[in-house]
Amino acid sequence: GESVGLHLPTLSVQEGDNSIINCAYSNSASDYFIWYKQESGKGPQFIIDIRSNMDKRQGQRVTVLLNKTVKHLSLQIAATQPGDSAVYFCAEGSNYQLIWGAGTKLIIKP
Amino acid sequence: NAGVTQTPKFQVLKTGQSMTLQCAQDMNHNSMYWYRQDPGMGLRLIYYSASEGTTDKGEVPNGYNVSRLNKREFSLRLESAAPSQTSVYFCASSDIGRGADTQYFGPGTRLTVL
């Protein structure tokens, strides 16, 4: 079936550096992509989303890039901070449903 | 606004027992969702309700039932709990058509079935 997956299960980044979390998707008909952050013991929290008619969208310290040619999605976090430590999920959306990837754990090194 | 609230926060059941997980949202959202999250995994959709009065199966509906009681409330029922249903359950809501299929999540219910 269609799926969304992540390249790396764990990413370790020095505090202050930029983080890049990658995601591959397989359903070329998906028109909506979203990144969530989940801290330990909490529910997922919306970070940023992007529609398929865009290739880049920026938020506060975060940027999502969408490459439809290779079906690739990435989340860039600028100047990574200790509070960014979490598991990050990408998901693709269509027909009210979000199909979630397995998640990437982001670890911040002091 | 409280956002999305879930009760209970923790629950331990014996195999075969039944229970209902409650969810409520105060954001006037049309759509509501129930997910389960197993350790180290992403979320899997159990059921969703696109609007008041409708419910539909998601990816893993077996062993569960839902009720969209009104626009605010969406409950999930386990009729005969099994150890395989040990998981963290998240409720979410969204307001389709307002620039967000963005789903807002509750804090979760941690369920253990012995």
Side-chain angles (χ1 to χ4, degrees), chain B residues 10-31:
Chain B
F10 300 93
Q11 184 71 50
V12 179
L13 294 177
K14 295 180 180 178
T15 297
Q17 287 185 315
S18 62
M19 78 161 297
T20 300
L21 281 64
Q22 306 288 352
C23 174
Q25 53 92 8
D26 62 2
M27 296 175 282
N28 201 35
H29 285 170
N30 290 312
S31 302

Side-chain angles (χ1 to χ4, degrees), chain A residues 22-90:
Chain A
N22 296 303
C23 178
Y25 66 95
S26 57
N27 185 358
S28 57
S30 291
D31 60 0
Y32 180 73
F33 304 88
I34 191 166
W35 283 98
Y36 281 91
K37 172 185 180 183
Q38 187 176 27
E39 296 174 282
S40 181
K42 296 183 179 180
Q45 180 183 6
F46 169 81
I47 301 174
I48 192 168
D49 60 358
I50 189 168
R51 298 278 173 189
S52 59
N53 61 351
M54 303 171 67
D55 54 20
K56 180 179 180 179
R57 192 172 186 203
Q58 290 183 292
Q60 187 177 12
R61 279 202 310 119
V62 295
T63 300
V64 56
L65 299 177
L66 176 63
N67 186 331
K68 295 180 286 294
T69 302
V70 295
K71 298 178 186 172
H72 185 265
L73 189 69
S74 69
L75 176 70
Q76 300 179 4
I77 304 173
T80 309
Q81 302 169 359
D84 295 327
S85 292
V87 177
Y88 290 81
F89 293 95
C90 68

Side-chain angles (χ1 to χ4, degrees), chain B residues 48-107:
Chain B
Y48 67 98
S49 171
S51 60
E52 186 178 356
T54 68
T55 61
D56 286 283
K57 295 179 180 179
E59 182 185 357
V60 289
N62 291 344
Y64 305 95
N65 286 300
V66 291
S67 295
R68 184 73 183 268
L69 303 170
N70 47 56
K71 192 171 185 179
R72 289 188 65 248
E73 298 173 289
F74 189 38
S75 63
L76 178 71
R77 183 161 178 84
L78 286 70
E79 290 290 352
S80 179
S84 61
Q85 294 178 304
T86 293
S87 191
V88 180
Y89 291 84
F90 289 102
C91 177
S93 70
S94 71
D95 194 8
I96 301 293
R98 293 192 60 179
D101 284 334
T102 303
Q103 296 179 14
Y104 296 86
F105 286 81

